[in-house]
Amino acid sequence: MLDAKIPSGPLSEKWDKHRFELKLVNPANKRKYNIIVVGTGLAGGSAAASLAELGYYVKNFCIQDSPRRAHSIADQGGINAAKNYQNDGDSIWRLFYDTIKGGDFRAREANVYRLAQVSNHIIDHCVAQGIPFAREYGGLLANRSFGGAQVSRTFYARGQTGQQLLLGAYSSLMRQVGAGQVTLFPRREMLDLVVINGQVRGVVVRNLVTGDIESHAADAVVMCTGGYGNVFYLSTNAMASNVSATYRAYKKGAFFANPCYTQIHPTCIPVHGTYQSKLTLMSESLRNDGRVWVPKATGDKRPPNQIPESERNYYLERKYPSFGNLVPRDVASRNAKAQCDMGKGVGETGFAVYLDFKDAIRRDGKDVIAQKYGNLFQMYEKITASNPYEDPMMIYPAIHYVMGGLWVDYNLMSTLPGLFVLGEANFSDHGANRLGASALMQGLADGYFVIPYTIGGYLAQMDHTEVTTDHSAFKEATQYVNEQTGKLLSINGKRTVDDFHRELGNILWEYCGMSRNDDGLLKARKLIQELREEFWKNALVPGLSEDFNQSLERAGRVADFLEFAELLVMDAFERKESCGGHFNEAHQTEEQEAMRDDENFCHVAAWEYKGDDTEPGRHKEPLVFENVELTQRSYK
Amino acid sequence: MTKSINITLNVWRQKSAGVKGGFETYHAANISTDMSFLEMIDVVNEQLTLDGRDPIAFDHDCREGICGMCGAVVNGRAHGPEEGTTLCQLHMRYFSNGDTIVIEPWRAKAFPILKDLAVDRSAFDEIIVAGGYISVNTGGAPDANAIPISQEIAEKAMDAAACIGCGACVASCPNASAMLFAGAKISQLALLPQGRPEAAQRALAMVRKMDELCFGNCSNERECEAECPKEISISNIARMNREFFKAGIGSAVM
Ligand SMILES: Cc1cc2nc3c(=O)[nH]c(=O)nc-3n(C[C@H](O)[C@H](O)[C@H](O)COP(=O)(O)OP(=O)(O)OC[C@H]3O[C@@H](n4cnc5c(N)ncnc54)[C@H](O)[C@@H]3O)c2cc1C
Ligand code: SF4
Ligand code: FES
């Protein structure tokens, strides 16, 4: 059975106790340890900087040309913390409880409590770094409320919170580069993990400019490679977001947990054409002031301003009087889909609902609304050529975030000793659904405040036999990577990689998206297998391996998505309940809400790779709730 | 309303750093005006791939105007004709049927071309390494509300902090100066009380680094401000200069 290594003792004392019990690495010894950090997002950037500050020598890798461009840069809405600056009843316990409940009771109590505990330190540290958070007139920090919470605990920097937090982590990282503690390797893609004598001891990466395959050895590897939402092709993730790093770790023995927990965000700009390359999120903070509605009559094609109040259905406010437009994402998304499936959807395609700011503008004035959301409104107008100050926005759900990821224990270590996984790449804190403004919190908690302690506990007791890149394991990994690249370039088929990716996305969205059923999942699995087979016969990957070859990069990622998608679908199939972002149609309440099966599924599903032609194994980590009572989530 | 247009592209193609490049012409038919500029290049690239030709290399990631990865000079203007817009946020509705569009990479000594439209901007990272941070280690910070900061100052700092590091300011400056980029970071940190203790030292180190990296000087052409997709104000350059002078050795760079 999987051991999460959760410390004993009362919830609120576990982390302190654990920190005391963890072995320490003597300061003078720290510089003898090399740590590889893959990824420079909020998780990777903060981890690399903090580990370097402690004296470890860090090598830090990313795909983009600069660490400052990781996908985290795009976060709009904000970051939560239990500061209770608003005196509105917030506390560590409340943040903990909201996160556990928001995750539909599928996360670990101990991890989530620790997350809530360290949340306050994150804000302190970020302010000290010079992050220009929004402030009140008196000069103190401002807060807003965010989907799924009834207190105002979200800190923000206009609609660019992720940008500012990431640039903060980046600046700390660059300071360590200057100090010689961190060496950066941008424009590198990790393509394999190297395991020697049962310990993870390095990575093999491709230099995306020259095509060279490079080997790097270390004492531990910290993977912070983000989420796999792009398996759906269209998502709000950045274009380079991928599953390759985590999937290849899975193939080397790290268990993959809950791949079917994917989050669909309710407020994105609707799809408008087949050429579309990605979807754009409109921060859910907009739901604080925007009201969601559809026309009451089916097929009402009048322009929104001509539809009188009495003929509008503000369905979230009506159905969930206490949370209204602020219900969690999964609930908001499913309700939007339900309205559109009933034919109430608006816009050219009928797959959109309105998000209306008319009342907020009337109440607060245009200036106040512009100050809060100006850049979002501008972005919306740039994309759609429609002005949200005049006409309501049109929105529709889209894939946005994944709760699933590599399985990790309380120390954030995977099932492979020496491989730590942080940020969106792990599965740890959000259960089956993530609340708004909590991914930033988790990424930074993991990087600034958890890994600096837990990695020491590992290093202090590992087998520290010197390993160099001359070791045969590096040669084998390099050979594997070269073979894979050679195969891709020699298929010479007739269909572009993007075309395969698009089709894969359609399959997943159709059968494994907002709502799922057994027949659809079985069908999806078969379609994915067929598509994968066709890919290896008919994909067209131009160019050479020893070159700046973006087609080859994409081909490698899509090849991994085509394998991983099947795991995602299998996980969805095996979870015979509905919880959070996983909605199985056979398991719903009379009011069409997700219905959990706590008796049989109150566990984490962690998948073990057993070979290309063998079914993966499904392991369980039971979730034990000692401090909260499992209830049916209700936002009424 | 959505329309389709036919356009001609003149695109800079260069196989790798240091080799000779040149323009090549492509025709793009049935381009929806709702497409973004990069989606238009995607469509052209799909066709090039199917025709057995090398697709155009270009950097991009977020496609939301925030990561700063994209960028090219379009018809002589960095990030194209729309003000306050990155290339990924530029839409084809700003072009007309029959247009010819010239697309080139950023051109600056400090940003060598890697391939086609992709350039190496690591010099920007080096400027930040020189001092674009506040020296604070994880763990020791006081309560976040311990230092009140007026809303006005916080907003000004945020205006400067909005820089996405795209390099358009350098590409559009006749001197290939990085003053707007560096000025934005120096201003953000100098405005905030947390950044004051190191303000002078920071300005000095970052300005020196710029010189060392072959960025040019500022001769007040204001092209950077006009082309900056985040509308970073050149008042940040003035603030940087003030900090630099306070550090005591102005004449070397001005
Ligand atoms: C549009 C949008 C808005 C969001 N807004 C919010 C918000 O307001 N609040 C909130 O809390 N959360 C928000 N989120 C979620 C949040 O952005 C992510 O969960 C979080 O940024 C993930 O951070 P990360 O550090 O784990 O990974 P990322 O930021 O995705 O970083 C991944 C890093 O790994 C590198 N990498 C990936 N694969 C490889 C590889 N194979 N080899 C080498 N390097 C690799 C990348 O180069 C990158 O540096 C938002 C997400 C989106 C899409
Ligand atoms: S100042 Fe403007 S143009 Fe220059 S790098 Fe920053 S955002 Fe780009
Ligand atoms: S792709 Fe990120 S700013 Fe254009």
Side-chain angles (χ1 to χ4, degrees):
Chain A
M1 187 156 17
L2 283 166
D3 179 9
K5 305 217 172 65
I6 297 169
S8 59
L11 189 60
S12 61
E13 291 166 24
K14 284 181 195 291
W15 179 230
D16 272 355
K17 178 166 167 287
H18 189 60
R19 278 193 298 174
F20 178 70
E21 285 168 1
L22 278 168
K23 290 213 171 60
L24 294 177
V25 178
N26 159 337
N29 278 340
K30 287 202 175 98
R31 76 176 74 95
K32 294 189 197 145
Y33 289 100
N34 290 305
I35 299 172
I36 284 175
V37 178
V38 189
T40 59
L42 286 165
S46 59
S50 303
L51 292 171
E53 286 163 9
L54 287 174
Y56 295 111
Y57 179 67
V58 177
K59 287 184 174 183
N60 194 191
F61 298 81
C62 68
I63 291 180
Q64 293 79 9
D65 68 333
S66 162
R68 63 180 289 152
R69 307 200 203 282
H71 159 63
S72 296
I73 198 95
D75 304 355
Q76 302 169 349
I79 176 164
N80 284 334
K83 284 283 192 187
N84 193 31
Y85 282 158
Q86 306 306 323
N87 200 25
D88 57 358
D90 203 3
S91 61
I92 289 173
W93 188 271
R94 187 179 293 281
L95 175 55
F96 155 73
Y97 182 77
D98 285 353
T99 308
I100 285 277
K101 176 186 169 198
D104 217 354
F105 305 96
R106 288 294 174 263
R108 260 185 223 145
E109 277 188 341
N111 282 57
V112 176
Y113 193 85
R114 174 177 66 189
L115 176 66
Q117 274 177 309
V118 302
S119 67
N120 291 341
H121 303 304
I122 298 174
I123 303 302
D124 298 342
H125 183 55
C126 291
V127 167
Q129 283 174 326
I131 287 168
F133 282 121
R135 289 180 181 263
E136 305 290 356
Y137 283 115
L140 300 184
L141 291 160
N143 288 119
R144 59 182 167 207
S145 53
F146 224 70
Q150 283 171 310
V151 290
S152 251
R153 61 159 75 102
T154 304
F155 295 78
Y156 62 101
R158 293 199 190 138
Q160 289 134 266
T161 318
Q163 179 197 27
Q164 294 310 313
L165 295 174
L166 184 65
L167 293 182
Y170 164 76
S171 68
S172 293
L173 176 65
M174 298 318 262
R175 175 171 164 247
Q176 293 305 315
V177 171
Q181 287 294 122
V182 176
T183 308
L184 284 178
F185 295 88
R187 294 203 194 259
R188 300 295 197 291
E189 180 157 17
M190 179 194 135
L191 293 180
D192 210 359
L193 197 66
V194 175
V195 187
I196 295 172
N197 294 335
Q199 296 185 142
V200 171
R201 294 304 294 266
V203 295
V204 168
V205 301
R206 180 168 179 272
N207 180 323
L208 300 179
V209 178
T210 61
D212 292 342
I213 306 298
E214 306 167 346
S215 293
H216 297 269
D219 296 296
V221 173
V222 183
M223 255 175 53
C224 315
T225 50
Y228 51 80
N230 277 350
V231 67
F232 286 81
Y233 187 64
L234 286 183
S235 85
T236 61
N237 288 8
M239 303 299 285
S241 297
N242 65 82
V243 78
S244 294
T246 46
Y247 192 71
R248 294 191 186 190
Y250 161 74
K251 282 186 141 182
K252 279 281 160 89
F255 289 7
F256 212 113
N258 302 330
C260 81
Y261 289 168
T262 50
Q263 179 165 81
I264 311 231
H265 196 291
T267 55
C268 302
I269 300 181
V271 178
H272 50 83
T274 50
Y275 53 80
Q276 201 158 346
S277 57
K278 73 162 287 187
L279 295 172
T280 303
L281 172 80
M282 287 286 107
S283 167
E284 84 182 318
S285 61
L286 293 168
R287 286 198 278 145
N288 281 325
D289 288 296
R291 300 179 66 196
V292 176
W293 64 276
V294 290
K296 280 186 179 161
T298 308
D300 187 342
K301 288 288 169 204
R302 284 175 293 175
N305 294 337
Q306 285 172 27
I307 301 179
E309 280 297 316
S310 61
E311 294 176 40
R312 300 175 173 197
N313 180 3
Y314 294 91
Y315 57 89
L316 290 178
E317 296 173 19
R318 193 173 45 75
K319 221 169 140 186
Y320 307 98
S322 69
F323 278 71
N325 293 297
L326 292 178
V327 291
R329 295 175 172 175
D330 53 332
V331 178
S333 295
R334 270 198 298 280
N335 276 282
K337 178 176 182 329
Q339 294 296 332
C340 295
D341 289 349
M342 285 189 300
K344 315 277 180 177
V346 299
E348 273 177 45
T349 61
F351 284 98
V353 300
Y354 289 124
L355 180 64
D356 201 334
F357 293 89
K358 190 175 64 177
D359 293 332
I361 292 173
R362 198 181 298 141
R363 184 187 65 221
D364 298 338
K366 191 175 161 186
D367 289 348
V368 171
I369 296 301
Q371 199 191 6
K372 283 196 198 163
Y373 310 114
N375 70 320
L376 296 172
F377 279 31
Q378 196 191 13
M379 181 151 85
Y380 182 85
E381 187 168 1
K382 271 190 187 142
I383 295 173
T384 62
S386 151
N387 175 355
Y389 294 103
E390 313 268 314
D391 294 310
M393 283 186 178
M394 282 195 273
I395 53 163
Y396 197 66
I399 289 286
H400 172 64
Y401 180 86
V402 296
M403 284 72 67
L406 290 181
W407 185 89
V408 288
D409 64 14
Y410 188 71
N411 295 316
L412 303 182
M413 191 164 88
S414 70
T415 50
L416 283 176
L419 176 66
F420 292 80
V421 191
L422 276 53
E424 194 173 341
N426 75 23
F427 88 107
S428 68
D429 296 354
H430 307 293
N433 174 57
R434 176 174 70 77
L435 292 181
S438 58
L440 300 185
M441 171 171 72
Q442 181 226 332
L444 292 180
D446 289 359
Y448 284 135
F449 295 109
V450 179
I451 193 73
Y453 299 94
T454 59
I455 206 166
Y458 170 77
L459 294 172
Q461 55 76 49
M462 72 177 285
D463 163 14
H464 195 231
T465 314
E466 165 106 358
V467 162
T468 69
T469 53
D470 295 330
H471 194 283
S472 63
F474 281 96
K475 303 271 176 292
E476 280 159 30
T478 306
Q479 196 187 346
Y480 163 76
V481 167
N482 279 327
E483 277 168 13
Q484 187 82 357
T485 310
K487 261 200 261 172
L488 287 167
L489 289 170
S490 62
I491 307 172
N492 243 326
K494 295 200 165 53
R495 257 180 98 177
T496 62
V497 166
D498 279 4
D499 204 34
F500 281 99
H501 195 177
R502 207 174 288 125
E503 185 171 337
L504 175 66
N506 285 339
I507 297 171
L508 284 179
W509 182 248
E510 179 70 25
Y511 301 108
C512 198
M514 257 184 287
S515 93
R516 301 159 175 182
N517 63 54
D518 282 1
D519 289 347
L521 292 169
L522 289 176
K523 182 161 178 200
R525 189 168 175 197
K526 193 156 162 285
L527 290 172
I528 293 165
Q529 288 167 345
E530 286 165 9
L531 189 66
R532 189 167 63 227
E533 208 167 302
E534 192 197 333
F535 177 87
W536 286 104
K537 287 192 190 125
N538 197 25
L540 175 54
V541 186
L544 307 169
S545 60
E546 306 79 20
D547 191 11
F548 189 111
N549 185 345
Q550 294 171 312
S551 307
L552 177 62
E553 289 171 32
R554 280 204 298 279
R557 291 173 203 148
V558 172
D560 288 331
F561 280 140
L562 280 165
E563 289 185 23
F564 170 74
E566 198 178 337
L567 188 68
L568 197 165
V569 167
M570 283 168 73
D571 186 48
F573 184 79
E574 292 301 329
R575 190 165 279 281
K576 309 277 186 214
E577 65 164 349
S578 293
C579 54
H582 170 64
F583 191 76
N584 181 327
E585 287 159 18
H587 302 271
Q588 47 183 316
T589 65
E590 272 169 23
E591 291 150 321
Q592 283 105 44
E593 304 292 356
M595 195 162 74
R596 292 193 320 267
D597 176 354
D598 291 332
E599 206 166 305
N600 297 303
F601 286 93
C602 195
H603 61 247
V604 177
W607 295 86
E608 179 187 8
Y609 177 76
K610 296 193 162 171
D612 281 340
D613 303 315
T614 314
E615 295 274 301
R618 186 177 186 275
H619 299 266
K620 292 179 193 173
E621 179 204 333
L623 291 167
V624 183
F625 292 90
E626 291 169 339
N627 299 278
V628 301
E629 198 188 329
L630 273 68
T631 56
Q632 169 71 36
R633 281 192 313 170
S634 167
Y635 291 94
K636 293 212 178 275
Chain B
M1 265 329 299
T2 310
K3 286 192 310 193
S4 280
I5 56 173
N6 300 325
I7 50 176
T8 304
L9 305 180
N10 275 334
V11 185
W12 183 263
R13 303 302 307 265
Q14 179 172 331
K15 279 207 167 343
S16 59
V19 305
K20 203 168 163 298
F23 284 100
E24 280 188 31
T25 304
Y26 307 101
H27 297 284
N30 290 321
I31 295 297
S32 159
T33 51
D34 276 344
M35 275 184 201
S36 70
F37 198 83
L38 299 187
E39 284 169 344
M40 181 274 291
I41 302 185
D42 288 341
V43 169
V44 172
N45 272 345
E46 287 280 286
Q47 197 53 51
L48 287 174
T49 305
L50 291 171
D51 294 346
R53 297 159 76 187
D54 200 20
I56 304 160
F58 66 101
D59 272 327
H60 61 97
D61 198 25
C62 73
R63 298 202 172 190
E64 293 190 0
I66 192 79
C67 74
M69 186 112 177
C70 68
V73 177
V74 175
N75 291 341
R77 298 197 54 187
H79 289 300
E82 264 296 291
E83 254 155 56
T85 305
T86 54
L87 194 61
C88 58
Q89 291 292 82
L90 176 67
H91 280 73
M92 294 310 293
R93 64 182 76 95
Y94 296 103
F95 296 91
S96 312
N97 196 29
D99 277 0
T100 294
I101 306 176
V102 182
I103 313 174
E104 298 168 81
W106 290 166
R107 291 186 194 280
K109 205 165 157 198
F111 291 165
I113 294 174
L114 294 174
K115 185 174 180 183
D116 301 338
L117 305 176
V119 301
D120 179 358
R121 283 168 294 198
S122 50
F124 267 8
D125 289 328
E126 290 185 50
I127 296 176
I128 301 295
V129 168
Y133 48 77
I134 290 174
S135 297
V136 47
N137 280 358
T138 309
D143 185 85
N145 259 347
I147 318 169
I149 299 172
S150 78
Q151 199 181 54
E152 192 201 337
I153 293 291
E155 291 294 311
K156 269 197 189 145
M158 182 60 222
D159 286 340
C163 164
I164 57 174
C166 63
C169 45
V170 176
S172 58
C173 173
N175 309 324
S177 164
M179 292 284 191
L180 194 62
F181 168 77
K185 186 46 77 183
I186 289 171
S187 290
Q188 176 206 337
L189 299 179
L191 280 161
L192 297 168
Q194 306 92 298
R196 285 307 317 165
E198 296 170 283
Q201 174 56 29
R202 176 183 305 118
L204 198 61
M206 290 174 73
V207 170
R208 280 191 178 150
K209 189 48 124 185
M210 275 193 293
D211 286 349
E212 201 184 301
L213 292 166
C214 300
F215 288 104
N217 284 336
C218 174
S219 50
N220 252 316
E221 311 283 335
R222 308 191 71 141
E223 295 287 342
C224 55
E225 187 186 51
E227 301 295 51
C228 171
K230 296 294 139 181
E231 304 181 313
I232 303 289
S233 154
I234 60 161
S235 62
N236 289 299
I237 298 184
R239 194 175 292 108
M240 169 174 75
N241 286 334
R242 281 201 297 279
E243 294 300 333
F244 184 74
F245 280 120
K246 272 192 233 163
I249 0 172
S251 53
V253 283
M254 292 311 291

